[in-house]
Amino acid sequence: QVQSVESGGGLVQPGGSLRLSCTASGTIFSINAMGWYRQAPGKERELVAAITSGDSTNYADSVKGRFTISRDNAKNTVYLQMNSLKAEDTAVYYCNVQGTVRAATKFTSWGQGTQVTVSL
């Protein structure tokens, strides 16, 4: 069983910055893609950013140039550095980790979610 635990959310003023972290633990053999999604009230969950095992990245158009995703493979951790935050970035942010456990069984693990609120 693989668990992913997020941290780093909170309240920040417009223009401010936050850094989210997500660490996966369990009987992990390898981690492939890692990503961040968000869900605002009344809206569907959407992809914010993703990073592959080869460090290729993908961003939603709304966050390009403001958010940076990175990973530390030794720690099974993915980060999301969020700068120049806007009110419309307010949402619950979820990490998503995909990989394999022993016996080459694939897994997808979701974090519990962390609230990010951008407001005066």
Side-chain angles (χ1 to χ4, degrees):
Q1 184 177 0
V2 178
Q3 292 184 327
S4 297
V5 178
E6 302 140 346
S7 62
L11 173 65
V12 64
Q13 293 185 353
S17 298
L18 282 175
R19 188 192 194 206
L20 305 183
S21 301
C22 173
T23 299
S25 61
T27 54
I28 298 170
F29 178 74
S30 66
I31 293 178
N32 300 323
M34 307 180 85
W36 290 94
Y37 290 72
R38 67 186 180 187
Q39 188 167 20
K43 295 187 177 181
E44 294 186 353
R45 189 174 297 190
E46 63 175 357
L47 175 67
V48 176
I51 184 168
T52 68
S53 57
D55 287 338
S56 295
T57 57
N58 181 42
Y59 295 94
D61 288 343
S62 59
V63 307
K64 284 182 180 177
R66 299 188 298 122
F67 290 11
T68 302
I69 189 170
S70 61
R71 59 191 284 173
D72 184 332
N73 294 325
K75 297 180 180 180
N76 290 342
T77 298
V78 61
Y79 305 98
L80 185 68
Q81 178 66 44
M82 305 185 293
N83 298 328
S84 302
L85 283 160
K86 304 175 181 179
E88 50 263 45
D89 294 318
T90 295
V92 178
Y93 284 69
Y94 299 89
C95 71
N96 175 275
V97 179
Q98 300 177 30
T100 58
V101 297
R102 292 175 184 172
T105 301
K106 294 182 179 180
F107 73 86
T108 297
S109 175
W110 288 93
Q112 80 283 3
T114 185
Q115 177 70 46
V116 172
T117 302
V118 184
S119 179
L120 292 172

